[in-house]
Amino acid sequence: MSILEAFEARIDSLVSGAFARAFNAEVQPVELAAALQREVDDSAVTLDEFRSITSNTFEIDLSVADHQRLAGHFATLASELASLVKEHASNQQLTLVGPIAIEFAEDADLDLGVFRVRSASRQAPGAPAVSATPRLVLANGDEFPLVRTVTQLGRSKDANIHIDDVGASRAHCEIILATPIRVRDLGSTNGTFVDGARIAEVELTDGARITLGSTTLTLRIQ
């Protein structure tokens, strides 16, 4: 039995008739599960010959109607989906840098039955950094390990790292995980600044400060 089949069987055994009807002809749990599996695979980054890391936090955006219909079942879904992510990551020999978190959000722009998955690799506050994993650090200490070849930052809900700042553009800039690491402005309205200087594209070193609007993130490589 595949992971998806096992997930579907567990859901069938856990939900009541009302729960099952809530999914009729709209978003199906197995569709969410398959999307999370793809996201885990797509966001995986190889650190060295022995280890690869992947996303551990996920936000699933639903249409207004789907969100209202499923609101009473989010805890059960999140628990089962987290188990699936953990099992899939283990099977693919991928490391999770922190606890799995799955949240559901409402998006008025989505049609009934349509959903969007966004993810990030985020360490628990105070946890030691994963060795050799570049990461962006906010002033409050929140860390965002860079686990994609290209990580987009911006105010859009589709951004890999969502910046909740009115001074940031929807697609503001992107971090390119190359040698050396680079940051590229994406035509943002207010510009991208590195250590106080406005840039179009520039190489980054450990400790570089990247500013979008009034938000500053510090790159940590070591």
Side-chain angles (χ1 to χ4, degrees):
M1 180 181 293
S2 71
I3 294 177
L4 286 179
E5 290 172 334
F7 168 84
E8 198 165 24
R10 290 198 304 272
I11 285 291
D12 287 342
S13 68
L14 286 170
V15 301
S16 64
F19 192 178
R21 287 194 297 274
F23 288 101
N24 186 32
E26 282 85 29
V27 171
Q28 300 293 320
V30 70
E31 294 176 328
L32 301 179
L36 287 182
Q37 280 192 338
R38 289 193 298 271
E39 190 68 19
V40 167
D41 293 338
D42 291 346
S43 63
V45 168
T46 300
L47 297 181
D48 51 47
E49 61 180 311
F50 304 107
R51 181 177 46 168
S52 296
I53 62 174
T54 191
S55 296
N56 64 300
T57 65
F58 304 86
E59 181 176 298
I60 301 175
D61 297 329
L62 301 165
S63 69
V64 174
D66 281 322
H67 191 276
Q68 291 175 347
R69 180 178 296 106
L70 307 179
H73 311 299
F74 286 155
T76 299
L77 270 177
S79 176
E80 289 300 320
L81 289 170
S83 296
L84 176 138
V85 167
K86 183 177 181 180
E87 184 176 357
H88 182 66
S90 176
N91 287 346
Q92 300 301 312
Q93 298 183 318
L94 298 172
T95 298
L96 300 167
V97 300
I100 299 169
I102 297 174
E103 297 181 351
F104 298 88
E106 181 181 298
D107 189 332
D109 293 332
L110 295 178
D111 294 330
L112 181 68
V114 178
F115 64 91
R116 178 194 303 115
V117 175
R118 293 182 288 134
S119 72
S121 182
R122 188 168 185 176
Q123 295 178 215
V130 177
S131 176
T133 306
R135 59 205 183 277
L136 295 175
V137 184
L138 285 170
N140 65 3
D142 284 352
E143 296 192 357
F144 302 92
L146 299 171
V147 298
R148 297 173 182 268
T149 303
V150 178
T151 299
Q152 187 180 103
L153 289 75
R155 194 162 40 85
S156 170
K157 292 183 178 180
D158 291 325
N160 303 124
I161 298 178
H162 174 66
I163 304 297
D164 187 14
D165 185 329
V166 295
S169 295
R170 290 177 58 81
H172 197 104
C173 66
E174 61 187 14
I175 306 295
I176 303 164
L177 204 59
T179 305
I181 298 173
R182 304 181 67 84
V183 60
R184 176 187 297 145
D185 184 76
L186 296 175
S188 62
T189 300
N190 296 320
T192 300
F193 294 79
V194 173
D195 294 333
R198 186 165 184 165
I199 60 92
E201 182 173 343
V202 71
E203 297 178 1
L204 297 173
T205 57
D206 186 47
R209 293 175 293 108
I210 305 164
T211 301
L212 300 71
S214 60
T215 301
T216 296
L217 304 99
T218 302
L219 176 68
R220 294 300 182 193
I221 299 175
Q222 301 176 355

